[in-house]
Amino acid sequence: MARLGEGLWVTLSISFTSVGLSIALGVPAGLLMASRSRLWRRAMRLYLEFIRVMPILALLFLMYYSLSSVFHVNLPARLVSILVFTLWGTAEMADLVRGAVTSLPRHQWESGRALGLSEAKLNLHVIVPQAVRRLLPGVINLTTRMIKTTPFVFFINIPDLVKVAQQIVEVAGMRDNMASVWVYGLIFLIYFAICYPVSLLATHLEKVWQS
Amino acid sequence: MKTAGKFLTLALAAFLLGALLPGAADAAGELEKIKQNGKLRVAVFSDKPPFGYVDENGENQGYDVYLARRLAQDLLGDPSKVEFVLVEAASRIEIVQADKADVVLANFTVTKERAEQVDFASPYMKVALGVASPSSAPITDVSQLAGKKLIVNKGTTADAYFSENHPEIELVKYDQNTEAFNALRDGRGAAIAHDNTLLFAWVRANQGYVTGIDFLGDLDTIAPAVKKGNAELLGWLNGEIDKLIGEQFFEADYEATLLPVYGESVDPNTVIVTR
């Protein structure tokens, strides 16, 4: 049980750090994607497409093994996992932000400018608050997907929740054939306990913002 | 917009800088480097009892782990100065190539293909084929299998050996270990052929079956692996294994880790390396 706790901590720390960073970096990145500068739009588009076509596992291997054996950049496994998940999360988050921002009616910008707001103030006070509401369902979806993808970190030798469960099953399975059912059943409940509150929070926020 | 751009550029620069700094040179003496780190990094399995697994208390255990602790003792003077890197079967080569571990001790069978990518030290274990069957209809000789069905795992040494040497035996092939053993339980074959080390453990845990043939085919060896070209560490390992064989260390390792799983009926000499 204590060992599952350690695995759970690994899962939680990696996923929430990455989700947090992704949201923090994704918002400015998304604004860049929606910006009027063609250069930024193109650059961000390239970044997004690259991350989107690249399997997470391949990215993990690339950063963990290939960087080290080819360029002698030996990064610790946890840093690699947070980097990869953040790169992925930021790209997806940025696209969500772009979608939310461009779906706002054009007159929001025009009115803002007519009032004499600077670009930064326009974004901060007019565009972002409205976009955030439209963002919420997508962000929740992304968060739960990122949490559920963390077991991939075992491929770069980090024992997360699911791997610890497997280790327990292999040892306990020698005595009890039902061990796998109990242990994986428990894992299911734990993941549910992590992800369900996230959904609840989303429903709650949507209700609050509607009124 | 400008602030966002600046922030992003800054973040990118910080990332690149951070990534480039730790690129240390490989040239320094490998043994010296390990001594400097104060830790021998050993790649072991975390879910393959009895070779490498994690016990109820979260401690690494098993035949490979027992050896790893001894290596740390002899190199650094303390059996706890070992850092276990938990590895999957498929990444055992990359893990030393990418310098994430110094030595692989993960039930790593020596093959020609693998030897092109890593350097193997002297073997510390043997593995051959075995054949397990129900105790009620034991198979003790390959000739008894003629005209009967034999269960094997696809792509294993057992599959290759019987396809090549005994075409008269009909093979029933499965992808996964669990499936193959379940097939034996369901009577879909007269016997199962697999690594003898695995069969010993399985037969012991499952009443009503015996390893009627415990040694068959080509003898494969299991050895520590290091990064290709790491001659200094390789030389040290070879000397160490030679010394350990001399003092019957592997007999002690067998007794501590494999005997409880295999039971008294297995001859240790089919598994461990002795003089």
Side-chain angles (χ1 to χ4, degrees):
Chain A
M1 222 25 227
R3 291 185 46 217
L4 282 179
E6 276 169 41
L8 178 63
W9 172 241
V10 170
T11 297
L12 285 180
S13 62
I14 291 177
S15 46
F16 281 101
T17 311
S18 320
V19 169
L21 283 171
S22 299
I23 293 175
L25 294 172
V27 171
L31 291 176
L32 283 177
M33 267 187 191
S35 87
R36 281 184 293 177
S37 149
R38 186 175 292 169
L39 185 70
W40 271 116
R41 276 209 314 265
R42 290 249 169 98
M44 295 309 291
R45 187 88 216 154
L46 192 72
Y47 162 59
L48 173 67
E49 291 302 331
F50 175 75
I51 297 292
R52 206 180 249 165
V53 297
M54 195 82 164
I56 295 296
L57 201 53
L59 267 178
L60 283 173
F61 280 154
L62 197 72
M63 302 266 281
Y64 186 68
Y65 290 122
S66 313
L67 264 187
S68 175
S69 49
V70 182
F71 300 106
H72 301 283
V73 178
N74 203 339
L75 300 177
R78 286 195 193 209
L79 180 62
V80 167
S81 60
I82 289 175
L83 274 177
V84 167
F85 279 102
T86 303
L87 275 177
W88 169 43
T90 303
E92 297 248 354
M93 181 68 198
D95 203 37
L96 291 175
V97 171
R98 184 194 57 78
V101 168
T102 49
S103 75
L104 288 177
R106 216 196 156 89
H107 67 250
Q108 294 290 337
W109 274 271
E110 285 161 359
S111 323
R113 288 199 191 101
L115 286 171
L117 293 175
S118 67
E119 286 293 303
K121 278 195 170 159
L122 177 68
N123 273 318
L124 195 66
H125 297 299
V126 182
I127 306 303
V128 172
Q130 296 186 75
V132 164
R133 297 181 199 187
R134 304 186 177 204
L135 263 179
L136 199 65
V139 172
I140 296 309
N141 194 14
L142 180 63
T143 306
T144 47
R145 263 170 63 215
M146 284 174 77
I147 295 173
K148 286 186 296 185
T149 314
T150 45
F152 274 179
V153 299
F154 190 74
F155 288 99
I156 57 169
N157 315 313
I158 306 174
D160 81 308
L161 183 58
V162 173
K163 188 65 200 187
V164 171
Q166 205 179 328
Q167 292 166 1
I168 294 175
V169 167
E170 285 298 328
V171 174
M174 291 195 139
R175 293 188 298 269
D176 181 4
N177 277 335
M178 289 294 284
S180 65
V181 179
W182 300 125
V183 177
Y184 288 125
L186 185 62
I187 296 301
F188 165 79
L189 290 178
I190 292 175
Y191 269 93
F192 183 78
I194 303 169
C195 293
Y196 190 62
V198 176
S199 309
L200 278 185
L201 178 71
T203 329
H204 176 70
L205 283 179
E206 274 184 56
K207 264 190 201 145
V208 169
W209 285 343
Q210 229 159 36
S211 53
Chain B
M1 197 57 56
K2 261 186 189 157
T3 42
K6 259 187 202 156
F7 176 66
L8 215 73
T9 320
L10 219 71
L12 198 74
F15 165 69
L16 284 177
L17 200 71
L20 288 174
L21 279 177
D26 261 7
E30 289 294 337
L31 283 177
E32 203 44 51
K33 228 171 72 184
I34 294 168
K35 281 178 188 158
Q36 264 172 22
N37 291 341
K39 261 185 181 166
L40 179 66
R41 296 170 306 157
V42 184
V44 294
F45 281 134
S46 67
D47 58 354
K48 306 270 186 300
F51 306 111
Y53 63 98
V54 180
D55 71 7
E56 288 89 345
N57 307 315
E59 295 279 326
N60 290 84
Q61 299 293 355
Y63 186 84
D64 293 337
V65 172
Y66 196 93
L67 173 60
R69 293 215 165 94
R70 176 60 194 263
L71 292 180
Q73 159 85 53
D74 290 354
L75 185 64
L76 303 165
D78 184 347
S80 66
K81 285 190 175 166
V82 54
E83 182 186 330
F84 293 111
V85 184
L86 309 181
V87 70
E88 294 287 275
S91 47
R92 283 178 296 187
I93 290 176
E94 283 88 347
I95 206 157
V96 278
Q97 277 183 341
D99 196 28
K100 302 290 180 184
D102 302 309
V103 187
V104 179
L105 291 178
N107 203 29
F108 210 9
T109 309
V110 181
T111 66
K112 242 186 251 160
E113 294 77 20
R114 286 171 179 166
E116 281 167 14
Q117 294 174 289
V118 295
D119 282 336
F120 284 106
S122 313
Y124 64 95
M125 225 180 137
K126 300 183 276 195
V127 60
L129 293 180
V131 176
S133 43
S135 342
S136 50
I139 303 286
T140 52
D141 195 278
V142 180
S143 60
Q144 286 173 280
L145 283 168
K148 288 185 185 146
K149 285 181 181 164
L150 177 67
I151 298 164
V152 294
N153 275 48
K154 260 180 225 164
T156 57
T157 37
D159 184 2
Y161 175 80
F162 280 97
S163 311
E164 209 174 292
N165 300 308
H166 296 281
E168 77 279 6
I169 300 170
E170 187 188 342
L171 299 180
V172 196
K173 303 182 186 185
Y174 294 91
D175 278 317
Q176 302 268 336
N177 275 352
T178 334
E179 284 177 274
F181 283 111
N182 280 337
L184 180 66
R185 282 204 194 95
D186 296 346
R188 287 172 216 237
I192 185 169
H194 214 303
D195 288 354
N196 58 0
T197 48
L198 183 75
L199 291 180
F200 295 151
W202 187 81
V203 161
R204 170 103 166 143
N206 292 270
Q207 293 253 314
Y209 294 90
V210 287
T211 314
I213 305 174
D214 60 9
F215 207 91
L216 187 73
D218 302 323
L219 179 70
D220 279 320
T221 54
I222 287 168
V226 299
K227 189 177 182 173
K228 194 100 195 147
N230 191 345
E232 200 187 343
L233 183 57
L234 189 71
W236 181 80
L237 278 171
N238 283 337
E240 185 70 13
I241 286 175
D242 198 50
K243 182 183 101 188
L244 292 179
I245 291 174
E247 64 180 65
Q248 305 201 312
F249 167 82
F250 293 106
E251 278 86 343
D253 191 351
Y254 182 92
E255 263 175 49
T257 59
L258 300 185
L259 187 66
V261 180
Y262 290 170
E264 297 285 349
S265 58
V266 174
D267 176 7
N269 292 320
T270 53
V271 180
I272 60 173
V273 175
T274 48
R275 276 205 202 283

